[in-house]
Amino acid sequence: MAQTLQQLSIPGPGVQGLNSEISPFQQGLDFALRADNAVIDRVGRIAAREAFADFIGTHEISLADNERFEIVRLEYVVVDKQDLTYENVSEYLVSEYGLAEYSQRRPVGIPGTTIFGIAGIGRVGQMHYDRYIGITIDEGVIKEVPSVTPTHGVTLAQLVPFKGVIYSFSKGDPVMVYRNGSASKLSDDADFIPITDSDGTTIYNEIDGDIACAAYGRLWVSGIDGDYDTVHWCSLLRPTHWYDASTDGTNDAGFINVREYWPNGNDKIQGIAAHNGFLIIFGNHSILIYSGAQGNPAGDNGLRLQDAIRDVGLANQDAMCNVGSDLLFVDSLGVRSLGRVVQEKSTPIAEPSLNVATLIRQDIANNRDTVRLSHLSSKTIAICLFPKLREAYCFQLGQPGATGGLRTTRWTGCDFYTGVTLQTDHRETELLGGRDSRGVLAYSGYTQPEKYTLSYESSVLLSGDALMQTLVPKSISFSYHRDLVGSNPPNPPQNLFCRWGFSTNLMPYLGKIKTQNTRVGSVSQFRTGKCNVKGSGDMMRVGFDFDIDGKPFAMQQISINTLSGRILV
Amino acid sequence: MSGFLTALTGAAAAGRGFGMADDIIKYGQGLYNYDSATETATGAMPALGQKLAEGSAFQGYGVSTGLGTSTVSTMENGKPLMRLGVGQDPHWRRSAYQNQHAGDVMRNLSRQDNSERQQELYNQNMAVQNPMLNQMQAQQRADEFAMGRQGVSGSQFGGSSEDAAMARARVQGSNQAYQMAQQQGLAEQAQQAQMAQTFNQMGSQSYQNSFQPMNQQMQMMQLAGQDADRYQTGQLTGQGYLGQLNLGGIQAGVNSMKAASELEGNIYDSIFDNASGLLSGLF
């Protein structure tokens, strides 16, 4: 018997982000089966992510033919420029981070930044790098820092800003200090006190660990001489002073060996972080939470093991980031978080990647050494990047979604390795370490060299308690939002495509969406396009692809005109 | 005629008188005669003096007790010789030597550098304290482990603050043990010195005691000396009497010689007077 045409509506499609953990029949239409290159915008719509835009591409890095450089690490420190005058502004801008700052030429009191990074250099088309070099940005040009040639870069290395300089750690290499355009070994500092035992015997001549963190006025380093059971810390605000058993009170550096405290009996320090007043020591599959890292860690109210968590660990030290309210980190089960509870001083564990657990676990399992987590604070997102796949999961920070997990989307075409939010008094920029010799990128705008497409796929229509039923769709309407450009009405998007499908994971049908309500003189930011569709089947899903074209795009609502066919069961 | 007679009698009297004078000289020389050439005196008086000297000479004396026989005599050179005949008491002397030896041992001990002994005492004290300290340390280790601080070491404390506290406790314990050892060592040293003194006193006392028999004998000698004095006094008195009697006799002899000579002279004088009258009548 013929059915009447009915309209199914998906208001706010995918506002809860991806969900691979609930059956498509059970999950509501708030979830999405696909949300590529999407974010959840400020009003809760699925929207296009910003571009990995070129920012500083000019470089003076010596490359052989067929070589490329990729910035695998990037850090910055704010430097005090209060004494600047107009006359010396260009001099100070030697270490200024970007052309825009450089061109402003503000005469006095410009807070600046010093940027330092590690670039890997390898042959085009290969994944690995032949060597690593230090880089900095000098008057808008990426330049080499020749004295920094670490053995490691992508992994087993770390950059730590501390006290106005940047420390470059690399496993087995002496830590380098980047300051004002040049770098030198920390051990070359006249004040350097190596790690010395009580007999005055130098135990380690160099700080050559690769697990490092700056917190509570100290550098915390593990992996020195390959010892991943011990965390060494420098004297308070004196990164040149390390444990020397001097006991005269002038040096309160020290170390802690945590070997006996791994709850699983055995582990290896993977990362160190400061969060909620605690010092978090991550193992591969355990976490030790120490209080009392402030002040003197070896003192009376010093380090105390607050908690030892088993079966939750850290994939690698780049796979964590502090988002203020939470410390996010990647372990084998996905992206986890240590919460921040001031009163109880406890650290509840949550699983922000709950909605994509199955998907992300597989990726993590295959990329434990290179998976990275970055916080793009100005965008209120955290991205879990898989550089080898050039894919990332984007977690919308703030209130978690309906399931308790953060709303998650997926990014593709991620041609960057690292991300850092560069904050100055008058600018906040998300810098990305670009790949394929692209230099420094900015997560900004909607234009990038490579085309990128916002893709969405809904969960199954007529899900929930509805009986399995054949649907015969007739048309699908999309209400979307685009920014106006100047006073001209936006052109009908030529790059918005409708997708739909039945029964299978793929959505084989593709149709061009035609804008319906384009009228002369219309300047509305909200528009609707329609696509006539065909086919029939059960488990109908709808979606769209939008090739981002330099302007923001967000999907408001999807409406489907369909006939309901026979009930299958 | 009378004159002749007088002269004759006078001559006779003179002759008699010269004869008596010679007799008196001889008597006197018999009593005392000094030869200047030999510087020796002879006669009854030196003989009496010699006799008195010999008779009043120290005759010596002796005491016999259960302890021994003591004598006081005169040597050939006239000097007195005393033979006590009693020595030190060997028992006391041995005791004195033993005590003295013990005193010497103690004194030597007290004078020795007692650092070794103090170390020994320190070790003993620490051995007493160590279980407690070890218990504290074990407790600290347990606490530290419970707090997750067992692996902590800081330059400022050499280890953790607990380690520093433990080290302080150990140092304190060590100091205490050292002080105790030092005090105990010094006390022992003082005790040894005291014992040395005591032993020395005992030795001295024993030594003194060892002279007790001699002392007693000498006391007996003193008593005997009194008897000897009395004897000597008697002897001297007797000799005095003897001398006085002899001198009296000599004096009497001299007097009698003098009286006889005077009488005889007077007789001769009267005779001569008479004879002169007679003779004067004659002539």
Side-chain angles (χ1 to χ4, degrees), chain A residues 85-96:
Chain A
T85 62
Y86 184 81
E87 285 72 24
N88 66 10
V89 69
S90 60
E91 181 183 348
Y92 113 73
L93 284 170
V94 164
S95 57
E96 188 52 66

Side-chain angles (χ1 to χ4, degrees), chain B residues 53-67:
Chain B
E54 288 176 356
S56 65
F58 181 67
Q59 299 299 314
Y61 65 94
V63 172
S64 289
T65 67
L67 300 169

Side-chain angles (χ1 to χ4, degrees), chain A residues 177-316:
Chain A
V177 186
Y178 179 76
R179 177 189 289 110
N180 296 331
S182 64
S184 60
K185 284 202 296 185
L186 179 66
S187 58
D188 286 343
D189 192 298
D191 292 334
F192 180 71
I193 297 175
I195 297 172
T196 310
D197 68 9
S198 55
D199 298 330
T201 307
T202 300
I203 304 173
Y204 305 124
N205 286 310
E206 301 285 355
I207 307 300
D208 61 357
D210 59 303
I211 309 289
C213 156
Y216 311 125
R218 302 174 193 275
L219 285 174
W220 307 78
V221 182
S222 183
I224 296 175
D225 196 37
D227 178 4
Y228 290 96
D229 284 322
T230 304
V231 177
H232 287 268
W233 62 82
C234 69
S235 190
L236 186 65
L237 295 175
R238 283 184 294 187
T240 53
H241 289 196
W242 298 83
Y243 178 83
D244 64 352
S246 56
T247 71
D248 59 1
T250 59
N251 182 2
D252 60 357
F255 63 87
I256 178 171
N257 187 320
V258 300
R259 187 172 47 213
E260 297 179 43
Y261 296 103
W262 295 120
N264 289 338
N266 188 35
D267 210 332
K268 163 184 175 291
I269 293 176
Q270 287 283 84
I272 307 168
H275 175 62
N276 200 23
F278 298 124
L279 186 76
I280 316 289
I281 298 177
F282 287 98
N284 255 322
H285 44 76
S286 359
I287 301 172
L288 300 174
I289 300 175
Y290 277 90
S291 63
Q294 303 100 325
N296 188 343
D300 289 337
N301 297 313
L303 289 178
R304 276 178 170 71
L305 187 62
Q306 200 77 14
D307 202 356
I309 303 168
R310 61 185 298 162
D311 296 333
V312 182
L314 180 67
N316 68 71

